[in-house]
Amino acid sequence: MVLAAPPLADAAHDEALALLDRVPLIDGHNDLPYVVRLDRAAKGDLGAYDLGKVHPETDTDIPRMRAGKLAAQFFAAYVPPSHPKPAGFALAQIALMRRIWEHHADVFRPGLSADDVEAAKKEGRIALFMTIENGSALDNELDALDAYWDLGVRLMTLCHNDTHDWCDSATDAPRHNGLSAFGKQVIGRMNRLGMIVDLAHVAPKVMHDVLDVSEAPVVWSHSNAFSLCDHPRNVPDDVLDRVAGKDGVVMATFVPDFINQASRDWNRPARDQYGKAREGLDFKKVEAEIVQKSGPRPRATLAQYCDHLDYLAKRIGHDHIGIGSDFFGGLTPDGIEDASTFPAVFAELIRRGWSQENLAKLASGNMLRVMRSVASAAAR
């Protein structure tokens, strides 16, 4: 991975920078804690990793988050679906995130509510929100949600790429016809706590089940429009048509295979029937075979990403979209390669005629509304 190319220097880019100087910017999903954990040298040691320097081998660090104008970052305690001790792994990742804000208190403040986003913006800091990515971290114990809440977790993605004991994944065989009875109890407890329900990764039937039972708005922290790219992780139109009625937010993601249909199709030989990476595969060998047969992998682009934002805005309205990069140290689109490039998104949308009001909603207004609505539902 290389650093992002210099942005297009034009009036739209200047306008985007000015907007993000005024308006808080929220990114709904980033896997930096897992990147730090997997780093061969650091192995989860923040001192060894040094977030204060640029890491050209990946996509997120403090200098580039600063350049990207972030006011709030939702970091994920990602739990691998096959991990034998999911709760323990989640706790280790939560501990790592807490160390980030402790070791870099000049940069980060704890993110616990919408007010922390606005406070961070005024202070010139970044509100660090902790999330859990994969509800298997509960170990099927409902009260574990309360413990995670007390540690500061404010959002949970219900599953990841595998179906687990109570939730069907979008990229695995279904076992529950959506959400199990226990899964519906999980939604109820999250509503009562004020923890945001995240439907990225879940099967469409789960999306409908949650929209049926949740008493608070829900989000998709890193998903795009299925109609533009048919990856199973994207949101189909029949679900999108219910988002506004639930006052939810779809946070469009930068993952190339969720943006560009040609990239998705190119990568199919490396995926199983559900769109998940095939187990036991020699990826370098398979990629070489795909290149030999089909040529180089098609690149996703900033323009194609903004096509998803345009589509979502037209389908569900400007009040129901946000940005969830899903930076995880992997492939990124041309033009939005790392955490410094968020202004490029806004510049492109300005070129497309988006109003300042709608850009502000995309940046943070919609997610702040959801956060406050989820808190109000818990209070009720």
Side-chain angles (χ1 to χ4, degrees):
M1 182 171 291
V2 295
L3 298 176
L8 176 61
D10 63 358
H13 190 259
D14 291 341
E15 188 177 339
L17 292 175
L19 171 81
L20 296 177
D21 281 338
R22 299 191 310 271
V23 175
L25 172 62
I26 297 173
D27 177 19
H29 190 88
N30 184 301
D31 284 300
L32 176 66
Y34 193 61
V35 172
V36 175
R37 180 75 60 189
L38 289 187
D39 186 83
R40 291 181 179 180
K43 297 179 180 178
D45 184 334
L46 285 175
Y49 192 80
D50 189 3
L51 281 175
K53 73 175 186 180
V54 172
H55 286 263
E57 75 282 3
T58 182
D59 45 46
T60 305
D61 44 57
I62 288 171
R64 287 183 287 177
M65 294 178 78
R66 291 285 205 192
K69 303 285 188 179
L70 282 165
Q73 179 65 70
F74 282 67
F75 277 135
Y78 162 63
V79 178
S82 60
H83 201 282
K85 298 180 179 179
F89 193 86
L91 289 169
Q93 291 300 87
I94 289 167
L96 193 159
M97 287 187 279
R98 292 172 68 94
R99 287 197 295 273
I100 290 175
W101 79 46
E102 291 166 358
H103 288 200
H104 300 282
D106 59 324
V107 177
F108 298 101
R109 64 174 283 147
L112 299 173
S113 71
D115 290 345
D116 291 312
V117 178
E118 295 174 338
K121 183 64 176 176
K122 291 177 182 177
E123 297 165 353
R125 292 197 286 174
I126 301 168
L128 191 165
F129 285 85
M130 298 192 300
T131 80
I132 290 173
E133 186 178 23
N134 194 353
S136 64
L138 299 184
D139 270 346
N140 295 326
E141 294 289 347
L142 199 59
D143 290 347
L145 276 169
D146 300 61
Y148 286 130
W149 173 266
D150 290 342
L151 287 171
V153 173
R154 290 298 179 264
L155 175 149
M156 186 172 75
T157 312
L158 300 186
C159 68
H160 194 252
N161 286 339
D162 288 7
T163 292
H164 59 61
D165 287 346
W166 49 268
C167 180
D168 287 341
S169 171
T171 50
D172 198 6
R175 287 162 42 195
H176 314 291
N177 188 32
L179 199 62
S180 76
F182 177 78
K184 292 175 182 178
Q185 292 179 10
V186 170
I187 303 306
R189 181 66 65 89
M190 292 177 73
N191 287 169
R192 289 193 289 278
L193 288 169
M195 188 180 292
I196 300 168
V197 177
D198 176 22
L199 299 181
H201 284 284
V202 307
K205 180 60 166 61
V206 176
M207 299 179 192
H208 283 294
D209 287 350
V210 173
L211 289 168
D212 287 342
V213 302
S214 179
E215 297 179 10
V218 301
V219 305
W220 286 256
S221 70
H222 51 301
S223 298
N224 289 342
F226 185 87
S227 285
L228 298 190
C229 182
D230 68 3
H231 196 287
R233 275 272 288 100
N234 286 339
V235 190
D237 281 351
D238 66 318
V239 175
L240 289 177
D241 291 342
R242 299 186 63 189
V243 172
K246 203 67 181 182
D247 200 26
V249 169
V250 177
M251 309 184 85
T253 187
F254 296 174
V255 179
D257 279 4
F258 301 172
I259 294 173
N260 182 355
Q261 185 67 48
S263 176
R264 151 92 168 133
D265 292 340
W266 183 94
N267 200 30
R268 284 180 192 270
R271 303 284 161 172
D272 65 16
Q273 61 181 313
Y274 302 106
K276 183 172 55 177
R278 291 190 347 224
E279 292 185 12
L281 207 64
D282 183 337
F283 285 102
K284 289 186 178 179
K285 180 181 178 181
V286 170
E287 285 200 359
E289 292 172 351
I290 298 173
V291 169
Q292 186 176 14
K293 180 180 179 181
S294 304
R297 184 185 192 124
R299 298 286 300 176
T301 66
L302 166 63
Q304 292 167 344
Y305 174 73
C306 290
D307 290 344
H308 281 266
L309 289 173
D310 277 336
Y311 182 87
L312 291 169
K314 291 175 182 176
R315 188 89 194 190
I316 62 180
H318 282 281
D319 290 337
H320 303 287
I321 52 177
I323 294 174
S325 68
D326 195 14
F327 282 133
F328 64 99
L331 288 174
T332 52
D334 292 341
I336 39 177
E337 296 90 346
D338 60 50
S340 72
T341 61
F342 289 104
V345 173
F346 290 85
E348 174 62 19
L349 295 174
I350 288 167
R351 297 182 194 107
R352 295 182 181 210
W354 281 44
S355 70
Q356 292 283 303
E357 178 186 7
N358 288 334
L359 291 168
K361 291 177 181 178
L362 174 72
S364 59
N366 295 334
M367 188 59 172
L368 289 172
R369 184 193 69 247
V370 165
M371 294 165 71
R372 291 191 166 108
S373 294
V374 170
S376 295
R380 290 196 300 271

